[in-house]
Amino acid sequence: MSTTKWVLDPTHSELVFKIKHLMISNISGSFQQFQVAVETQDDDFSTAQIRATAEIASIHTNNEQRDHHLRNSDFFEAETYPQLSFQSTKIEKLSDDTFTVYGDLMMKGVSKPVKLTVEYSGVTKDPWGGVRAGFTISGKINRSEWGITFNGVLETGGVALGEEVKVNSEIQLVKQLETVVA
């Protein structure tokens, strides 16, 4: 049995989130700088050990003023907590192309368990002789569980921001070298 290492192809991947704004629509954002490293037994993703990090300073919502606000102490406190991280703890194979990934998400110094749904798109050879794997990742978290509680009350009685944050990301991994396990 061999261990296979996979690394992120950042030009063909995105780490995206959505949150309800004014309780009537969703606002999207992403982290522009992030890393994902995966180790599997052979090419079996049900055995994967997943580590991911994202640089908080790279948050991007198509509005520089909002991005700056998200980096400050009302939200992520990027100077104190420059990264968020994820470490898988368990993978449950539901079908040939669907997995539930359990892991610990660390934000603002708080680590909480999360559950993500992963759709596996398969493995292919690229035009340069490499091997790639593709995934769509989705899930939901409650931002207040990580101490991200800033909000504003609306005249209509609602709040400016929803508590639930939806994750919907596309990840492409590139296969690295294999090593034989004794």
Side-chain angles (χ1 to χ4, degrees):
M1 191 173 295
S2 63
T3 299
T4 303
K5 295 182 180 187
W6 302 81
V7 295
L8 182 74
D9 175 352
T11 60
H12 296 102
S13 300
E14 57 185 14
L15 183 55
V16 178
F17 60 89
K18 290 184 181 225
I19 188 167
K20 192 70 89 174
H21 182 252
L22 300 178
M23 308 318 290
I24 60 170
S25 65
N26 288 303
I27 298 297
S28 296
S30 64
F31 292 95
Q32 301 293 294
Q33 296 174 1
F34 64 100
Q35 294 295 318
V36 178
V38 176
E39 288 187 6
T40 60
Q41 295 302 313
D42 298 315
D43 290 347
D44 181 1
F45 285 98
S46 70
T47 66
Q49 293 294 313
I50 304 162
R51 292 176 311 284
T53 59
E55 301 299 321
I56 299 298
S58 75
I59 200 164
H60 179 73
T61 64
N62 277 332
N63 182 300
E64 187 54 43
Q65 183 179 358
R66 179 172 48 222
D67 296 347
H68 179 73
H69 190 201
L70 289 169
R71 291 181 195 114
N72 80 20
S73 62
D74 285 341
F75 290 95
F76 286 102
E77 296 183 68
E79 286 188 25
T80 304
Y81 305 104
Q83 285 188 334
L84 65 80
S85 64
F86 174 83
Q87 174 70 50
S88 66
T89 56
K90 176 183 167 186
I91 300 200
E92 186 176 291
K93 186 174 183 176
L94 304 177
S95 69
D96 286 344
D97 61 358
T98 307
F99 298 86
T100 300
V101 175
Y102 299 87
D104 295 319
L105 177 62
M106 171 81 79
M107 287 191 297
K108 288 186 70 171
V110 177
S111 181
K112 296 276 185 182
V114 296
K115 179 173 92 170
L116 302 169
T117 299
V118 177
E119 294 178 32
Y120 173 55
S121 300
V123 173
T124 192
K125 288 195 176 200
D126 65 28
W128 308 278
V131 176
R132 294 170 180 262
F135 306 88
T136 299
I137 300 167
S138 60
K140 298 175 186 177
I141 65 167
N142 183 319
R143 66 188 177 95
S144 63
E145 291 182 18
W146 283 268
I148 302 173
T149 58
F150 179 85
N151 219 330
V153 178
L154 303 174
E155 286 180 21
T156 58
V159 291
L161 296 172
E163 291 297 311
E164 182 180 87
V165 178
K166 297 176 185 174
V167 176
N168 191 9
S169 299
E170 298 291 330
I171 302 296
Q172 192 172 119
L173 300 175
V174 179
K175 187 176 188 177
Q176 299 297 289
L177 42 124
E178 294 182 30
T179 54
V180 175
V181 178

